[in-house]
């Protein structure tokens, strides 16, 4: 049996007439790095606050190592939280900030000094004991906040968008550092962010949230390569989502008509029949462009513009109905120019049927 450390069992939460959490379930393994990913207002922070004991659910249970802690005070849960603003005491040194909770517990001074030194070594800030928070960089303050949390040896560490205040370059650096730190600590991390790249880079599993529910829970590869819904496909990696009509079904693939052309998709045994509507997601990097001969697979399109973003060339295509489709590749340029006629094609196993429960 899996070593389960935290369970959310049918958690509900309302604020006035707004239903914020709609009976969510989540099981988290010991030592796991799990990310709650979603836009502002989807319920991420409320979920974290309920786990921490800072909010009470209107329904459901929070179980920590099998024990119902739903009604317990935050200081009895052995769960710690790191916030986006770090919440360090500006008038205290690094050493005093990290050891603050231990002093409240009346731990011996020598033991506090030893524990603080170990925590600073862990977060690679040995020698920073006497520095003040105002003398530290954003990344250093974040590591001090983590050190302050881990000296209490929490069962679960909750992180509420802890990289949100950092600049882009430092965010990327801290993503790597934070994942390495989590592995060294062996502590379960529950991390929340609206940044899909952050979630994909750091997590063992991702729970994509939408309007108080989990839309899909899975590994980064599962979420990215096999989205269950068009919402997940759009939100994580900004896939192209196409809707058409099934025209033929073979053993492993089906063909569908769409936007004046046709595409193929591996259907993995999903029960489709000719004439049915189908919605398909295909990642931009899986879309290739060939000359439009007017025959064969592919969707006819016109090159609209080219954008170079983050080391990736995005070619924006205008489709027959006026919608857009994106093809991307590494490199800074392409021989295609605005106005060129092309066909967008992909391999069947590069496309995924989505919204199956909503298919007629």
């Amino acid at each position: 049996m899996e070593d389960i450390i935290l369970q959310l069992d049918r958690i509900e939460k309302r604020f006035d007439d707004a239903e914020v959490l709609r009976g969510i379930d989540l099981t988290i393994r010991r030592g796991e790095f799990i990310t709650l990913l979603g836009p502002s207002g989807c319920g991420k922070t409320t979920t974290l606050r309920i786990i921490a004991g800072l909010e009470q659910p209107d329904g459901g249970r929070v179980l920590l190592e099998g024990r119902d802690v739903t009604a317990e005070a935050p200081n009895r849960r052995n769960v710690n939280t790191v916030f986006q603003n770090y919440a360090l005491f500006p008038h205290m040194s690094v050493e005093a900030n990290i050891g603050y909770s231990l002093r409240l517990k009346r731990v011996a001074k020598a033991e506090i000094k030893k524990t603080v030194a170990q925590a600073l070594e862990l977060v690679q800030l040995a020698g920073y004991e006497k520095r003040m928070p105002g003398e530290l960089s954003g990344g250093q303050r974040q590591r001090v906040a983590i050190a302050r949390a881990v000296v209490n040896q929490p069962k679960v560490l909750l992180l509420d968008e802890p990289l949100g205040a950092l600049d882009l370059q430092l965010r990327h650096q801290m993503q790597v550092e934070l994942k390495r730190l989590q592995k060294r600590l062996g502590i379960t991390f529950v991390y929340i962010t609206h940044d899909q790249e952050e979630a994909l880079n750091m997590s063992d599993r991702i729970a994509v949230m939408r309007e108080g529910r989990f839309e899909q829970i899975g590994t980064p590869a599962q979420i990215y390569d096999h989205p269950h819904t068009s919402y997940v496909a759009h939100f994580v990696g900004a896939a192209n989502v196409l809707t058409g009509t099934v025209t033929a079904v073979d053993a492993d693939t089906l063909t569908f008509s769409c936007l004046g052309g046709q595409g193929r998709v591996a259907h993995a045994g999903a029960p489709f029949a000719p004439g049915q509507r189908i919605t398909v997601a295909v990642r931009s990097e899986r879309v290739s462009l060939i000359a439009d001969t007017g025959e064969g697979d592919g969707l006819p399109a016109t090159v609209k513009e080219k954008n170079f973003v983050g080391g990736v060339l995005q070619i924006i295509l205008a489709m027959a109905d006026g919608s857009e489709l994106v093809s991307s590749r590494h490199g800074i340029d392409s021989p295609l120019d605005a106005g060129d006629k092309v066909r967008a094609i992909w391999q069947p196993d590069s496309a995924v049927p989505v919204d199956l429960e909503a298919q007629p």
Side-chain angles (χ1 to χ4, degrees):
M1 182 177 175
E2 291 179 318
D3 191 3
I4 304 303
I5 192 166
L6 181 67
Q7 288 177 277
L8 303 182
D9 177 26
R10 296 170 294 175
I11 296 292
E12 299 176 359
K13 184 64 180 178
R14 299 173 197 83
F15 291 116
D16 297 324
D17 293 331
E19 195 174 11
V20 178
L21 297 177
R22 304 166 185 257
I24 60 172
D25 295 296
L26 183 63
T27 299
I28 300 173
R29 296 184 289 272
R30 190 180 305 275
E32 187 173 24
F33 193 129
I34 187 163
T35 297
L36 309 186
L37 173 66
S40 297
C42 72
K44 305 185 302 294
T45 295
T46 300
T47 302
L48 213 68
R49 289 177 62 82
I50 287 173
I51 295 171
L54 301 173
E55 294 280 359
Q56 279 293 304
D58 295 314
R61 302 181 301 160
V62 178
L63 303 175
L64 184 62
E65 294 187 308
R67 182 169 61 91
D68 189 339
V69 298
T70 312
E72 288 193 359
N75 63 348
R76 301 198 57 184
R77 297 191 181 203
N78 205 3
V79 170
N80 276 64
T81 306
V82 176
F83 298 100
Q84 181 176 333
N85 62 4
Y86 316 133
L88 299 178
F89 298 114
H91 61 287
M92 290 186 184
S93 68
V94 165
E95 183 178 41
N97 264 285
I98 295 173
Y100 181 73
S101 61
L102 301 179
R103 291 198 303 277
L104 291 179
K105 295 176 182 177
R106 301 187 182 280
V107 175
K109 287 184 179 180
E111 184 64 24
I112 292 175
K113 191 174 184 66
K114 176 183 175 183
T115 303
V116 169
Q118 290 172 340
L120 284 170
E121 187 74 35
L122 189 65
V123 298
Q124 300 178 343
L125 287 176
Y128 282 70
E129 289 87 346
K130 303 306 179 186
R131 299 274 185 96
M132 302 300 285
E135 299 174 316
L136 304 176
S137 69
Q140 289 167 340
R141 288 196 297 273
Q142 188 233 33
R143 281 183 277 170
V144 171
I146 291 171
R148 185 177 62 180
V150 301
V151 293
N152 294 305
Q153 298 181 319
K155 300 288 186 182
V156 178
L157 189 60
L158 310 175
L159 300 104
D160 188 356
E161 305 227 29
L163 307 185
L166 305 181
D167 64 59
L168 183 61
Q169 184 173 355
L170 185 55
R171 279 183 80 133
H172 289 160
Q173 177 186 337
M174 290 306 301
Q175 286 173 18
V176 176
E177 288 193 22
L178 199 56
K179 181 62 177 175
R180 287 175 179 167
L181 177 62
Q182 189 263 342
K183 291 303 180 189
R184 287 201 301 272
L185 289 169
I187 294 174
T188 303
F189 275 26
V190 181
Y191 189 98
I192 71 171
T193 184
H194 63 273
D195 186 322
Q196 47 147 319
E197 180 182 296
E198 204 164 273
L200 292 169
N201 283 342
M202 301 171 68
S203 314
D204 296 320
R205 283 192 302 151
I206 298 169
V208 181
M209 292 194 77
R210 179 189 186 189
E211 297 178 353
R213 292 191 176 95
F214 291 129
E215 189 88 349
Q216 184 175 348
I217 301 171
T219 65
Q222 288 169 340
I223 296 292
Y224 189 84
D225 290 328
H226 300 283
H228 290 171
T229 67
S230 54
Y231 176 83
V232 173
H234 274 307
F235 191 77
V236 183
N240 298 294
V241 177
L242 305 165
T243 299
T245 302
V246 177
T247 56
V249 180
D250 298 322
D252 299 315
T253 64
L254 60 80
T255 304
F256 66 100
S257 62
C258 175
L259 299 173
Q262 66 178 27
R264 290 189 299 145
V265 57
H267 58 70
F272 284 101
Q276 269 189 283
R277 298 289 285 172
I278 185 172
T279 302
V280 172
V282 56
R283 298 289 175 191
S284 62
E285 67 271 20
R286 306 291 179 84
V287 176
S288 299
L289 303 179
I290 60 173
D292 186 8
T293 63
E295 298 178 351
D297 285 348
L299 310 181
T302 303
V303 176
K304 186 174 180 179
E305 59 186 70
K306 298 185 289 185
N307 300 313
F308 186 67
V309 181
V312 174
L313 179 69
Q314 294 182 333
I315 301 175
I316 314 299
L317 306 171
M319 310 306 290
D321 66 347
S323 64
E324 293 182 348
L325 186 142
V326 180
S327 172
S328 64
R329 47 161 284 186
H330 289 287
I332 197 166
D333 207 357
S334 158
L336 293 172
D337 291 313
D340 286 352
K341 303 295 184 182
V342 295
R343 289 181 84 81
I345 61 170
W346 57 85
Q347 293 298 316
D349 59 2
S350 295
V352 182
V354 295
D355 299 337
L356 295 182
E357 293 182 2
Q359 304 294 344

